[in-house]
Amino acid sequence: MSRPTLRLHPLLCLAALTAPATAQIPLSGALSDLTTGPLLAGQVYHATSTLTVPNGATLTVQAGAVVKFTNLQQFQIAGTLDVQGTALAPVIFTELRDDTAGGDTNGDGATLPMPGTWNRLYLRSDATMSTLRHLEVRYAGGAAVQFTSILLSEADAVLEDCVIRDGSSNGIERNALQFAGRIERCQFIDNAGWPLHAFRITELPTLIDNTGSGNGRGDWVEIIGNPTTAGNLTLGPRNGVNGVIHNSGQLRVQASDTLTLLAGTVIKNGPSGALNASGPLVVQGTAADPVYFVPETDDTVVGDSNNDGGATVPGPGSQRVIVVRAGSVMYLLRVHYVGFCGNPFINFAGGEVDARISTEAAVVNAEVLHH
């Protein structure tokens, strides 16, 4: 006797091939502890529109919470955002197709997330001090406009142990002259732009032990334009990304200020990068940890910071002159490939300088004493 043939309705076949969506809670519009009962708990949420925290309000986000965005939405903070993630249960802001956070919440199977699917976390200039601990921001940046993943604008915030990854532009950006917050032990992974963009030299002490890998514009913190000191300033390797500070302009020390560079400090310069110290420059390098002033393409110091795979090799004159004034004291400063456009490697202007300097340019490993 022949066996009966089993025939499934096409809709049943489609249902069998489509994974069920993981449960999620819709969010939209203005949020605060008063409206979310009283905080976002460790669950999966779907932003159905741009989210805001109004001026004067506070939104608390509990460990393990996942908020998923789509359609170029953003999370805009005019009040206070308190993110309480932990190492074992971080808070994650990501895009809807990111199945590694909270599961396949849109039921589309193995569709991959894409950088720039949602816009950014935006702390407006009128926001009050926010605290973001163990927050992961993924796949932000806006596909067309290419926003930074976290824009601090003129707002102050404390960020600790955060991860900013797979953004279509920069990791964190500032639009202010002074930062009263702190960014500590954060990781910047595979963003298309800079990890930390548009910070002033005076803000670098607020950056502590941050790291980066695979970022398109380099694994370092960028200081822009003609950054000028404002008061005595001390910088060290902990104030860079992977210990590296990138200088794309004229780094100036005012006559009334002293700039101190601690042992192990690495400053990598773009083609226009230079140091002009009208006030004392104090370099505290040691035999084990010299202070370096090198071109951005110098992979011999802290590796391939500009992530070009070693495609560009520096030569003599790859960075501009260093100008130092009377009162400067420099121990074990190593300067590579200076002398742009025929300028002297180091210009000692205005008096005696105590210097023990190793240079690499037309002359390799020359030591200059008491010029």
Side-chain angles (χ1 to χ4, degrees):
M1 185 174 71
S2 62
R3 295 183 178 179
T5 300
L6 178 63
R7 300 181 183 276
L8 294 178
H9 191 279
L11 291 179
L12 294 177
C13 292
L14 180 61
L17 294 174
T18 304
T22 305
Q24 55 187 327
I25 301 169
L27 290 175
S28 63
L31 304 176
S32 72
D33 287 351
L34 297 178
T35 63
T36 58
L39 46 74
L40 295 190
Q43 302 178 65
V44 180
Y45 299 86
H46 176 206
T48 59
S49 69
T50 286
L51 304 180
T52 63
V53 177
N55 194 279
T58 297
L59 177 68
T60 305
V61 186
Q62 194 173 15
V66 175
V67 182
K68 295 193 172 184
F69 297 84
T70 188
N71 298 327
L72 301 182
Q73 297 158 349
Q74 68 176 335
F75 201 168
Q76 188 174 134
I77 313 299
T80 302
L81 181 63
D82 183 9
V83 174
Q84 300 180 347
T86 67
L88 296 179
V91 170
I92 300 174
F93 295 165
T94 188
E95 75 120 311
L96 188 61
R97 292 169 297 184
D98 186 358
D99 298 344
T100 65
D104 185 10
T105 50
N106 61 346
D108 68 346
T111 305
L112 295 177
M114 294 293 293
T117 302
W118 66 290
N119 277 358
R120 60 189 174 182
L121 174 60
Y122 174 27
L123 278 68
R124 297 184 354 181
S125 59
D126 53 349
T128 48
M129 178 71 79
S130 293
T131 302
L132 314 178
R133 291 189 173 94
H134 290 284
L135 169 66
E136 293 190 18
V137 176
R138 307 176 180 176
Y139 304 106
V145 181
Q146 293 188 331
F147 291 114
T148 190
S149 292
I150 300 178
L151 177 60
L152 294 179
S153 188
E154 297 176 5
D156 295 318
V158 172
L159 290 82
E160 294 179 347
D161 302 294
C162 295
V163 177
I164 298 91
R165 60 178 302 160
D166 296 299
S168 65
S169 184
N170 303 312
I172 299 176
E173 186 172 337
R174 285 282 293 163
N175 283 335
L177 294 177
Q178 193 62 42
F179 183 51
R182 177 167 40 86
I183 301 174
E184 186 169 3
R185 298 185 305 274
C186 291
Q187 300 178 58
F188 300 86
I189 304 170
D190 295 334
N191 299 288
W194 305 89
L196 291 155
H197 176 65
F199 281 76
R200 276 61 175 179
I201 186 174
T202 53
E203 298 174 316
L204 294 189
T206 69
L207 311 179
I208 305 169
D209 295 335
N210 298 295
T211 60
S213 63
N215 296 286
R217 298 297 298 274
D219 295 330
W220 42 35
V221 56
E222 182 211 17
I223 52 177
I224 62 170
N226 295 316
T228 304
T229 58
N232 296 336
L233 187 65
T234 298
L235 299 177
R238 299 183 68 188
N239 304 127
V241 170
N242 295 350
V244 179
I245 298 166
H246 183 269
N247 175 34
S248 59
Q250 298 289 313
L251 174 55
R252 301 181 185 278
V253 182
Q254 297 185 117
S256 58
D257 301 339
T258 297
L259 174 62
T260 301
L261 301 178
L262 301 178
T265 301
V266 175
I267 297 177
K268 291 194 174 184
N269 292 283
S272 298
L275 172 60
N276 192 328
S278 296
L281 174 66
V282 178
V283 176
Q284 298 180 347
T286 67
D289 291 301
V291 171
Y292 287 96
F293 193 85
V294 300
E296 61 184 18
T297 53
D298 189 347
D299 298 346
T300 66
V301 181
V302 200
D304 185 14
S305 300
N306 64 342
N307 291 326
D308 70 347
T312 307
V313 179
S318 293
Q319 61 175 337
R320 291 181 181 270
V321 67
I322 302 176
V323 179
V324 293
R325 297 290 196 268
S328 297
V329 180
M330 300 188 292
Y331 292 98
L332 287 157
L333 168 67
R334 294 185 176 174
V335 184
H336 296 189
Y337 307 107
V338 287
F340 184 82
C341 293
N343 286 306
F345 309 148
I346 300 175
N347 182 3
F348 299 104
E352 292 296 316
V353 177
D354 183 358
R356 294 177 175 86
I357 302 169
S358 168
T359 65
E360 291 185 18
V363 179
V364 178
N365 292 329
E367 185 177 56
V368 182
L369 295 177
H370 301 290
H371 267 237

